[in-house]
Amino acid sequence: MTLAAPVQADLSYGGKNFNTLAAESYTLAGLKGNFTDWLDAAYLKTDLPVSKTAPAGQTLRAALDARKAELGTAKGEARDTLARDTAVWAHTFIKKAVPKFSLERGFEFASMATTGERQCLLQSVVIAGLLQRAGLSAGLVMVWNSQSGQESNLGHVTSVLRLPGGAGDLEIDASEPTPTATHSGVLAWADGSYRFLNASFGPGDVIGSYAHADGKGSVKPAGLTFLSLNYVRSQFDYYRGERAIGGLLGTGTGKATPGGLKLSEKWLKAALTEEPNNALAAGVLGNVWRKEGRMGEARTQYLKAAGLYAAQGHMPTGMVANLQWAKSQAGR
């Protein structure tokens, strides 16, 4: 059955959803203040104005609103060029304002503000938020096959700009040295489900179409929906579970601890409550239970996760191995 597409996440910089995500991170870290105030100040320090004609000392939000007005009056190719220029600026700005990358902490708004660290999910949320504030259509997709051809289990996130003239999509990834990326394998909503897709790139790194990874169809950019707010929230909690101190990966302790594994379980369950279709969170929860010796629960969870991956059109190598293990446990 084909389901209606979810609404892509409204992450406009300074808007309700953006501020709520940031406030939740600050609260978890026990940090006072407001993230947008911090980023506004960082914008002035970087001396990278959104527009070369911007008045000196103009705030970030005012500059983005001014760019929105410019985009509103631009026509045809000039509008697409201005949109691309805005994305290039956002990529450059984030890399300069937040110079360090951290898998362990960089997904938290609080870390960006206190230690200058970023990670793929958070930098993509911020870039998409800046572009949306400027009046552009932008959002997030998961990445399962990188521009270097490295396949992963949805191990990366990138922001995507939809060019206003209808030419296609541009991946804007602050993990890469150049503003536009060419990650070939992405996951987003298309044809009634979240699906593994293969992006087809044309001149200027513009994505003109997406093919289902299982070969069962294709979709133009206009038919693809970026991740919903629930999925984005789910990914924040996924990373909190994956990187919990003493959790599944042994972050901060060098090994998993009973208390840390409980934290991983807590956050992964929260991720699945927010977005039951988050196949990555579903599979990794099985890993937690297996590490705890809860083999029956791990087996059941792997089977659930495998069902999600199958419905979405691709089974990563790690999930194939977990599924084989789960099937070997039948009757034990």
Side-chain angles (χ1 to χ4, degrees):
M1 180 176 64
T2 300
L3 301 177
V7 177
Q8 69 186 44
D10 178 355
L11 300 168
S12 181
Y13 179 66
K16 178 182 177 181
N17 295 336
F18 187 97
N19 289 345
T20 297
L21 291 171
E24 288 171 353
S25 178
Y26 271 44
T27 297
L28 286 171
L31 183 65
K32 304 295 183 181
N34 184 294
F35 179 80
T36 50
D37 288 344
W38 176 83
L39 195 61
D40 285 352
Y43 171 67
L44 295 176
K45 291 177 183 177
T46 60
D47 192 28
L48 287 171
V50 178
S51 170
K52 294 178 181 178
T53 61
Q58 186 178 45
T59 67
L60 176 55
R61 280 169 275 192
L64 291 168
D65 292 343
R67 175 51 59 92
K68 180 178 181 179
E70 287 182 77
L71 283 158
T73 58
K75 305 295 182 183
E77 291 185 8
R79 192 176 182 211
D80 275 2
T81 298
L82 194 57
R84 183 187 279 264
D85 288 348
T86 307
V88 169
W89 163 81
H91 178 274
T92 306
F93 166 58
I94 289 302
K95 290 176 75 72
K96 185 172 182 179
V98 192
K100 293 181 285 185
F101 190 90
S102 170
L103 290 172
E104 292 189 357
R105 297 173 297 276
F107 55 87
E108 294 288 4
F109 287 85
S111 294
M112 188 175 276
T114 56
T115 59
E117 294 173 315
R118 56 183 163 82
Q119 173 255 29
C120 61
L121 174 63
L122 180 54
Q123 68 193 17
S124 297
V125 166
V126 174
I127 288 173
L130 296 172
L131 296 177
Q132 287 185 12
R133 179 74 184 233
L136 293 164
S137 177
L140 276 62
V141 298
M142 304 296 294
V143 174
W144 62 273
N145 201 342
S146 74
Q147 62 181 22
S148 64
Q150 182 176 0
E151 186 173 328
S152 69
N153 184 359
L154 299 173
H156 189 57
V157 187
T158 187
S159 53
V160 181
L161 165 68
R162 181 150 295 155
L163 291 169
D169 292 345
L170 285 172
E171 295 175 353
I172 310 300
D173 190 351
S175 292
E176 301 297 337
T178 57
T180 56
T182 54
H183 302 303
S184 60
V186 301
L187 180 134
W189 186 277
D191 297 328
S193 175
Y194 280 110
R195 296 188 186 276
F196 285 79
L197 303 164
N198 289 309
S200 179
F201 294 88
D205 296 337
V206 177
I207 301 171
S209 64
Y210 298 87
H212 293 205
D214 58 9
K216 297 180 179 179
S218 62
V219 61
K220 293 294 185 182
L224 176 141
T225 301
F226 304 133
L227 300 184
S228 69
L229 180 62
N230 283 346
Y231 207 119
V232 172
R233 294 180 67 91
S234 178
Q235 274 303 116
F236 275 108
D237 283 345
Y238 167 79
Y239 285 120
R240 288 167 183 146
E242 181 191 70
R243 297 289 170 174
I245 300 300
L248 179 66
L249 299 183
T251 300
T253 59
K255 63 179 181 179
T257 66
L261 288 171
K262 290 301 179 187
L263 277 177
S264 288
E265 178 182 2
K266 167 192 166 183
W267 287 116
L268 290 169
K269 283 183 173 180
L272 287 167
T273 297
E274 288 152 353
E275 179 46 79
N277 289 306
N278 189 333
L280 175 61
V284 172
L285 180 57
N287 292 346
V288 171
W289 285 340
R290 188 173 172 185
K291 204 170 192 68
E292 289 182 311
R294 297 159 64 178
M295 300 307 182
E297 290 166 283
R299 176 182 181 275
T300 299
Q301 189 60 32
Y302 282 153
L303 293 175
K304 289 180 180 178
L308 290 175
Y309 282 108
Q312 294 168 18
H314 178 68
M315 193 82 69
T317 302
M319 190 64 237
V320 170
N322 289 340
L323 180 58
Q324 290 174 341
W325 174 86
K327 290 179 177 179
S328 75
Q329 297 296 300
R332 291 192 179 186

